Protein backbone atom coordinates (compact mmCIF):
# COMPACT_ATOMS: atom_id res chain seq x y z
CA UNK A 1 0.00 0.00 0.00
CA UNK A 2 1.42 3.37 -1.01
CA UNK A 3 0.55 7.00 -1.54
CA UNK A 4 1.88 9.79 -3.73
CA UNK A 5 2.53 12.88 -1.65
CA UNK A 6 2.74 15.22 -4.64
CA UNK A 7 2.56 15.20 -8.44
CA UNK A 8 6.37 14.87 -8.52
CA UNK A 9 6.63 12.06 -5.96
CA UNK A 10 8.20 8.75 -7.08
CA UNK A 11 7.64 5.45 -5.26
CA UNK A 12 10.07 2.60 -6.08
CA UNK A 13 9.57 -1.06 -5.18
CA UNK A 14 11.92 -3.98 -5.89
CA UNK A 15 10.87 -7.53 -6.67
CA UNK A 16 13.21 -10.55 -6.62
CA UNK A 17 12.31 -12.88 -9.50
CA UNK A 18 13.68 -16.45 -9.39
CA UNK A 19 13.72 -17.22 -13.14
CA UNK A 20 12.76 -16.03 -16.58
CA UNK A 21 9.03 -15.97 -17.23
CA UNK A 22 6.11 -13.64 -16.75
CA UNK A 23 6.00 -10.95 -14.07
CA UNK A 24 2.49 -9.71 -13.32
CA UNK A 25 1.83 -6.56 -11.32
CA UNK A 26 -1.58 -5.25 -10.41
CA UNK A 27 -2.52 -1.83 -9.11
CA UNK A 28 -5.67 -1.12 -7.14
CA UNK A 29 -6.18 2.61 -7.65
CA UNK A 30 -8.25 4.99 -5.51
CA UNK A 31 -9.66 6.38 -8.75
CA UNK A 32 -11.91 4.91 -11.43
CA UNK A 33 -11.24 7.25 -14.30
CA UNK A 34 -10.22 7.28 -17.96
CA UNK A 35 -7.68 9.96 -17.01
CA UNK A 36 -4.12 8.83 -16.29
CA UNK A 37 -3.64 9.27 -12.55
CA UNK A 38 -0.80 6.74 -12.29
CA UNK A 39 2.26 5.81 -14.36
CA UNK A 40 3.87 2.43 -13.66
CA UNK A 41 7.38 1.72 -14.99
CA UNK A 42 9.24 -1.60 -14.81
CA UNK A 43 13.07 -1.68 -14.81
CA UNK A 44 15.66 -4.44 -14.58
CA UNK A 45 18.66 -4.28 -12.23
CA UNK A 46 20.70 -2.42 -14.86
CA UNK A 47 18.09 0.36 -14.96
CA UNK A 48 16.76 -0.58 -18.40
CA UNK A 49 13.11 0.41 -18.88
CA UNK A 50 11.23 -2.78 -19.79
CA UNK A 51 7.61 -1.57 -19.84
CA UNK A 52 5.54 1.45 -18.94
CA UNK A 53 1.80 1.79 -18.39
CA UNK A 54 -0.64 4.63 -17.65
CA UNK A 55 -3.96 4.14 -15.88
CA UNK A 56 -6.64 5.82 -13.82
CA UNK A 57 -8.41 2.61 -12.80
CA UNK A 58 -7.62 -0.86 -11.43
CA UNK A 59 -5.39 -2.72 -13.90
CA UNK A 60 -3.20 -5.81 -14.14
CA UNK A 61 -0.16 -6.00 -16.43
CA UNK A 62 2.01 -8.96 -17.42
CA UNK A 63 5.53 -8.46 -18.76
CA UNK A 64 8.09 -11.03 -19.89
CA UNK A 65 11.38 -11.12 -17.97
CA UNK A 66 14.40 -12.80 -19.51
CA UNK A 67 16.13 -14.16 -16.40
CA UNK A 68 16.30 -14.26 -12.63
CA UNK A 69 17.01 -10.74 -11.39
CA UNK A 70 15.89 -7.95 -9.13
CA UNK A 71 13.26 -5.86 -10.91
CA UNK A 72 12.00 -2.42 -9.92
CA UNK A 73 8.53 -0.92 -10.26
CA UNK A 74 8.21 2.85 -10.10
CA UNK A 75 4.83 4.44 -9.37
CA UNK A 76 4.38 8.09 -10.34
CA UNK A 77 1.66 10.54 -11.28
CA UNK A 78 0.47 9.94 -14.82
CA UNK A 79 -0.54 13.56 -15.41
CA UNK A 80 -3.59 13.79 -13.19
CA UNK A 81 -2.85 13.51 -9.47
CA UNK A 82 -4.41 11.69 -6.55
CA UNK A 83 -3.03 11.65 -3.01
CA UNK A 84 -5.23 8.73 -1.95
CA UNK A 85 -3.73 5.31 -1.25
CA UNK A 86 -3.11 2.67 -3.93
CA UNK A 87 -2.30 -1.04 -3.56
CA UNK A 88 0.37 -2.79 -5.67
CA UNK A 89 0.70 -6.60 -5.84
CA UNK A 90 3.00 -8.83 -7.93
CA UNK A 91 3.30 -12.46 -9.00
CA UNK A 92 5.55 -14.52 -11.29
CA UNK A 93 5.05 -17.64 -13.43
CA UNK A 94 7.15 -19.45 -16.04
CA UNK A 95 6.46 -19.24 -19.77
CA UNK A 96 4.01 -21.77 -21.21
CA UNK A 97 4.20 -23.82 -24.41
CA UNK A 98 1.48 -21.75 -26.07
CA UNK A 99 2.12 -18.21 -24.82
CA UNK A 100 5.16 -16.17 -23.90
CA UNK A 101 5.68 -12.52 -23.09
CA UNK A 102 8.06 -10.07 -24.71
CA UNK A 103 11.15 -9.10 -22.76
CA UNK A 104 13.32 -6.07 -23.43
CA UNK A 105 15.71 -5.22 -24.88
CA UNK A 106 14.64 -6.58 -28.27
CA UNK A 107 15.21 -3.54 -30.47
CA UNK A 108 17.44 -5.28 -33.07
CA UNK A 109 17.72 -8.64 -34.83
CA UNK A 110 20.67 -9.46 -32.56
CA UNK A 111 18.54 -9.09 -29.43
CA UNK A 112 15.31 -10.45 -30.95
CA UNK A 113 13.13 -12.62 -28.71
CA UNK A 114 13.02 -16.22 -29.95
CA UNK A 115 9.45 -17.44 -30.46
CA UNK A 116 8.33 -20.89 -31.63
CA UNK A 117 5.88 -21.31 -34.49
CA UNK A 118 2.38 -21.57 -33.07
CA UNK A 119 3.21 -19.67 -29.89
CA UNK A 120 1.55 -16.34 -29.15
CA UNK A 121 3.94 -13.65 -27.96
CA UNK A 122 2.38 -10.80 -26.00
CA UNK A 123 4.22 -7.48 -26.16
CA UNK A 124 3.75 -3.74 -25.83
CA UNK A 125 5.40 -0.49 -26.87
CA UNK A 126 7.13 1.51 -24.13
CA UNK A 127 7.52 4.66 -26.27
CA UNK A 128 6.89 6.05 -29.76
CA UNK A 129 10.40 4.96 -30.80
CA UNK A 130 10.27 1.45 -29.32
CA UNK A 131 11.07 -1.40 -31.75
CA UNK A 132 10.14 -5.01 -30.99
CA UNK A 133 11.97 -7.80 -32.88
CA UNK A 134 11.05 -11.48 -32.82
CA UNK A 135 12.81 -14.38 -34.54
CA UNK A 136 11.32 -17.62 -35.85
CA UNK A 137 12.97 -20.83 -37.06
CA UNK A 138 11.19 -21.90 -40.27
CA UNK A 139 11.90 -25.54 -41.24
CA UNK A 140 11.40 -25.32 -45.01
CA UNK A 141 10.18 -23.26 -47.93
CA UNK A 142 6.47 -22.52 -47.80
CA UNK A 143 3.91 -20.03 -46.56
CA UNK A 144 4.69 -18.09 -43.40
CA UNK A 145 1.60 -16.58 -41.72
CA UNK A 146 1.57 -14.07 -38.89
CA UNK A 147 -1.50 -12.78 -37.07
CA UNK A 148 -1.45 -9.46 -35.26
CA UNK A 149 -3.95 -8.74 -32.48
CA UNK A 150 -3.93 -5.04 -31.54
CA UNK A 151 -4.83 -3.60 -28.15
CA UNK A 152 -8.57 -3.05 -27.94
CA UNK A 153 -8.24 0.72 -27.77
CA UNK A 154 -5.52 1.22 -30.40
CA UNK A 155 -5.62 4.52 -32.26
CA UNK A 156 -2.23 4.49 -33.95
CA UNK A 157 -0.93 2.56 -36.96
CA UNK A 158 1.60 -0.20 -36.37
CA UNK A 159 4.15 -1.26 -39.00
CA UNK A 160 5.06 -4.96 -39.28
CA UNK A 161 8.17 -5.89 -41.26
CA UNK A 162 9.43 -9.37 -42.23
CA UNK A 163 13.17 -9.96 -42.82
CA UNK A 164 15.25 -13.00 -43.71
CA UNK A 165 18.45 -13.95 -41.88
CA UNK A 166 20.52 -11.68 -44.15
CA UNK A 167 18.45 -8.67 -43.14
CA UNK A 168 16.64 -8.42 -46.48
CA UNK A 169 13.18 -6.88 -46.16
CA UNK A 170 10.69 -9.38 -47.59
CA UNK A 171 7.35 -7.74 -46.79
CA UNK A 172 5.99 -4.78 -44.87
CA UNK A 173 2.48 -4.01 -43.69
CA UNK A 174 0.81 -1.15 -41.80
CA UNK A 175 -2.41 -1.65 -39.86
CA UNK A 176 -4.62 -0.13 -37.20
CA UNK A 177 -6.78 -3.24 -36.76
CA UNK A 178 -6.38 -6.99 -36.22
CA UNK A 179 -4.89 -8.53 -39.36
CA UNK A 180 -3.43 -11.77 -40.74
CA UNK A 181 -0.71 -11.81 -43.39
CA UNK A 182 0.76 -14.71 -45.38
CA UNK A 183 4.14 -14.41 -47.12
CA UNK A 184 6.00 -17.02 -49.17
CA UNK A 185 9.47 -17.91 -47.93
CA UNK A 186 11.99 -19.49 -50.30
CA UNK A 187 13.93 -21.70 -47.91
CA UNK A 188 14.39 -22.92 -44.38
CA UNK A 189 16.02 -20.36 -42.10
CA UNK A 190 15.63 -17.80 -39.35
CA UNK A 191 13.14 -15.05 -40.11
CA UNK A 192 12.53 -11.85 -38.17
CA UNK A 193 9.39 -9.79 -37.60
CA UNK A 194 9.75 -6.24 -36.31
CA UNK A 195 6.91 -4.13 -34.92
CA UNK A 196 7.12 -0.36 -34.83
CA UNK A 197 4.81 2.48 -33.91
CA UNK A 198 4.17 4.69 -36.96
CA UNK A 199 3.30 7.93 -35.18
CA UNK A 200 6.06 10.00 -33.59
CA UNK A 201 3.52 11.76 -31.34
CA UNK A 202 1.31 8.99 -29.97
CA UNK A 203 1.67 5.34 -28.99
CA UNK A 204 -0.60 2.81 -27.34
CA UNK A 205 0.90 1.11 -24.29
CA UNK A 206 -1.68 -1.69 -24.31
CA UNK A 207 -0.56 -5.24 -24.97
CA UNK A 208 -0.69 -6.77 -28.46
CA UNK A 209 -0.52 -10.41 -29.55
CA UNK A 210 1.55 -11.91 -32.39
CA UNK A 211 1.05 -15.51 -33.53
CA UNK A 212 2.79 -17.29 -36.42
CA UNK A 213 2.38 -20.50 -38.39
CA UNK A 214 4.05 -22.17 -41.35
CA UNK A 215 2.88 -24.52 -44.11
CA UNK A 216 5.52 -26.31 -46.18
CA UNK A 217 5.27 -26.46 -49.96
CA UNK A 218 6.43 -29.56 -51.88
CA UNK A 219 7.33 -29.98 -55.54
CA UNK A 220 5.33 -32.63 -57.39
CA UNK A 221 6.86 -33.78 -60.68
CA UNK A 222 5.15 -35.61 -63.56
CA UNK A 223 7.15 -37.71 -66.00
CA UNK A 224 6.25 -38.95 -69.52
CA UNK A 225 7.68 -42.12 -71.06
CA UNK A 226 8.19 -42.34 -74.80
CA UNK A 227 7.19 -45.65 -76.48
CA UNK A 228 9.92 -47.13 -78.70
CA UNK A 229 9.65 -50.53 -80.44
CA UNK A 230 12.91 -52.39 -81.08
CA UNK A 231 13.26 -55.80 -82.75
CA UNK A 232 15.31 -58.37 -80.77
CA UNK A 233 16.35 -61.74 -82.20
CA UNK A 234 15.56 -64.83 -80.22
CA UNK A 235 18.43 -65.89 -77.98
CA UNK A 236 20.14 -62.47 -77.91
CA UNK A 237 20.39 -60.03 -75.02
CA UNK A 238 19.09 -56.46 -75.25
CA UNK A 239 20.14 -53.60 -72.95
CA UNK A 240 17.89 -50.58 -72.40
CA UNK A 241 18.59 -47.23 -70.73
CA UNK A 242 15.66 -45.35 -69.24
CA UNK A 243 15.98 -41.56 -69.32
CA UNK A 244 13.36 -39.38 -67.64
CA UNK A 245 12.39 -35.81 -68.45
CA UNK A 246 10.44 -33.53 -66.11
CA UNK A 247 7.60 -32.17 -68.22
CA UNK A 248 5.38 -30.70 -65.52
CA UNK A 249 5.79 -29.42 -61.96
Amino acid sequence: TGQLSSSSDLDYYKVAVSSGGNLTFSIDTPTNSSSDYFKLSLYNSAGLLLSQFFTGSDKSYTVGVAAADTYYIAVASGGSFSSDQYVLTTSHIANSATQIFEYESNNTTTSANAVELGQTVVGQFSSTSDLDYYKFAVPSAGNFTFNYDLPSDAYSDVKLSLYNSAGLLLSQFTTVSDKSYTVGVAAAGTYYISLANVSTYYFNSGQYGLTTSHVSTTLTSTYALATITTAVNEGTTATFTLTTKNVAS
Side-chain angles (χ1 to χ4, degrees):
T1 301
Q3 179 185 26
L4 296 176
S5 60
S6 68
S7 59
S8 60
D9 188 20
L10 274 172
D11 294 343
Y12 276 89
Y13 303 95
K14 63 181 180 181
V15 182
V17 173
S18 58
S19 68
N22 304 327
L23 176 63
T24 298
F25 50 102
S26 304
I27 185 167
D28 182 3
T29 67
T31 58
N32 185 19
S33 172
S34 58
S35 298
D36 294 329
Y37 279 88
F38 294 92
K39 179 175 71 173
L40 295 93
S41 305
L42 177 68
Y43 301 88
N44 65 11
S45 60
L48 176 68
L49 176 65
L50 304 180
S51 290
Q52 193 169 76
F53 304 94
F54 293 82
T55 186
S57 58
D58 297 350
K59 287 290 179 65
S60 180
Y61 305 100
T62 300
V63 179
V65 292
D69 198 356
T70 298
Y71 294 87
Y72 297 85
I73 299 173
V75 180
S77 172
S80 301
F81 171 70
S82 172
S83 62
D84 293 329
Q85 290 183 329
Y86 61 83
V87 177
L88 184 69
T89 57
T90 63
S91 62
H92 169 260
I93 61 171
N95 289 325
S96 72
T98 58
Q99 180 171 273
I100 65 171
F101 289 81
E102 173 208 12
Y103 55 88
E104 296 285 358
S105 170
N106 62 336
N107 297 332
T108 66
T109 55
T110 303
S111 59
N113 292 176
V115 184
E116 295 183 11
L117 296 173
Q119 278 187 324
T120 296
V121 58
V122 178
Q124 57 101 213
F125 295 118
S126 59
S127 69
T128 56
S129 59
D130 189 18
L131 278 172
D132 293 341
Y133 275 86
Y134 303 99
K135 63 180 179 181
F136 305 86
V138 174
S140 67
N143 294 326
F144 183 49
T145 298
F146 47 103
N147 300 287
Y148 184 59
D149 183 11
L150 274 77
S152 58
D153 57 346
Y155 303 110
S156 181
D157 286 346
V158 172
K159 181 171 64 178
L160 297 91
S161 304
L162 176 67
Y163 301 88
N164 64 12
S165 59
L168 177 67
L169 177 64
L170 304 179
S171 292
Q172 194 168 76
F173 307 93
T174 300
T175 184
V176 72
S177 60
D178 297 349
K179 286 291 177 65
S180 178
Y181 304 100
T182 298
V183 179
V185 293
T190 300
Y191 291 85
Y192 298 86
I193 296 176
S194 73
L195 286 80
N197 194 71
V198 174
S199 172
T200 58
Y201 302 101
Y202 172 81
F203 77 100
N204 187 290
S205 63
Q207 292 179 322
Y208 62 77
L210 179 68
T211 310
T212 62
S213 61
H214 170 260
V215 177
S216 298
T217 55
T218 57
L219 179 66
T220 302
S221 300
T222 302
Y223 296 93
L225 298 179
T227 302
I228 301 174
T229 302
T230 302
V232 180
N233 294 326
E234 184 177 355
T236 61
T237 301
T239 302
F240 299 92
T241 300
L242 179 65
T243 302
T244 62
K245 180 181 180 181
N246 189 353
V247 297
S249 61

